[in-house]
Amino acid sequence: MIGVVATLKVQPAKASEFEKVFLDLAAKVKANEPGCLMYQLTKSRTEEGVYKVLEVYASADALKAHGSTEYFKAAGAAMGPTMAAAPSIEYLDGVE
Amino acid sequence: MIGVVATLKVQPAKASEFEKVFLDLAAKVKANEPGCLMYQLTKSRTEEGVYKVLEVYASADALKAHGSTEYFKAAGAAMGPTMAAAPSIEYLDGVE
């Protein structure tokens, strides 16, 4: 199992545009990726424009498959102009 | 929906003791808390002894119920002596 915490800094004026694109992506992930066990968008309570995606994958293969889908690449391109900084992605090893 | 990222710094020599107590707690959470949608223990790939718990709750009530169970309190007491520092808990608002 692999965990991911993706921290995304969004331009506050573009937050609703970002959320729309991300939630559409999340719906596609849930519909198509049985190896993705959690893909939850959350928002910081203390820092404006800061989102964290809490992700859990059943395996390294499931994580790799996620990143190689056409809809993931398309969402990344669509979210790019809403970002205030480069994303920060932390990979974590599941303990079972 | 509420997300939580709990960062736990464990004494490296007590890591296996910590993992045993935590995984027993996680099994109880999964068995008893339908409002807890994810409760995954993960380990840092870069910092020795650093664990992150990725948690998602259906509601604030579900999070409150989690923290008030007897098994959560007992696990907290059992994990205390394995810790190297106070836990750092970040609460996040789910975006749906």
Side-chain angles (χ1 to χ4, degrees):
Chain A
M1 205 168 279
I2 294 179
V4 176
V5 178
T7 302
L8 308 176
K9 295 191 180 179
V10 173
Q11 300 170 48
K14 296 189 175 171
S16 69
E17 182 185 343
F18 163 78
E19 290 186 7
K20 187 169 176 293
V21 174
F22 195 95
L23 293 175
D24 179 65
L25 166 63
K28 287 173 178 155
V29 169
K30 280 168 197 168
N32 293 288
E33 299 178 33
C36 179
L37 309 178
M38 176 59 64
Y39 200 73
Q40 180 61 50
L41 181 63
T42 71
K43 193 157 75 168
S44 171
R45 292 182 175 181
T46 55
E47 293 176 277
E48 191 184 7
V50 172
Y51 292 81
K52 294 196 180 191
V53 191
L54 309 188
E55 308 173 36
V56 177
Y57 297 88
S59 66
D61 280 349
L63 172 58
K64 192 175 171 186
H66 168 71
S68 62
T69 61
E70 287 307 315
Y71 53 79
F72 179 80
K73 292 174 189 170
M79 285 186 278
T82 71
M83 295 287 154
S88 162
I89 316 288
E90 181 175 18
Y91 297 98
L92 299 146
D93 289 320
V95 180
E96 292 165 277
Chain B
M1 204 167 282
I2 294 179
V4 176
V5 178
T7 302
L8 308 175
K9 294 190 181 181
V10 173
Q11 300 169 49
K14 294 188 175 171
S16 69
E17 182 184 343
F18 162 78
E19 290 186 9
K20 188 169 177 293
V21 173
F22 195 95
L23 294 175
D24 180 66
L25 166 62
K28 286 173 178 155
V29 169
K30 280 168 198 169
N32 292 289
E33 298 177 36
C36 179
L37 309 179
M38 177 57 66
Y39 199 73
Q40 180 61 49
L41 180 63
T42 70
K43 194 156 73 167
S44 170
R45 292 182 175 182
T46 55
E47 294 176 278
E48 192 183 8
V50 172
Y51 292 82
K52 296 199 178 187
V53 191
L54 308 188
E55 308 173 35
V56 177
Y57 297 87
S59 66
D61 281 350
L63 173 58
K64 193 175 171 186
H66 168 71
S68 62
T69 61
E70 288 306 316
Y71 54 78
F72 180 79
K73 293 174 189 169
M79 285 185 281
T82 71
M83 295 287 155
S88 163
I89 315 289
E90 180 173 20
Y91 297 98
L92 299 147
D93 289 322
V95 180
E96 290 165 280

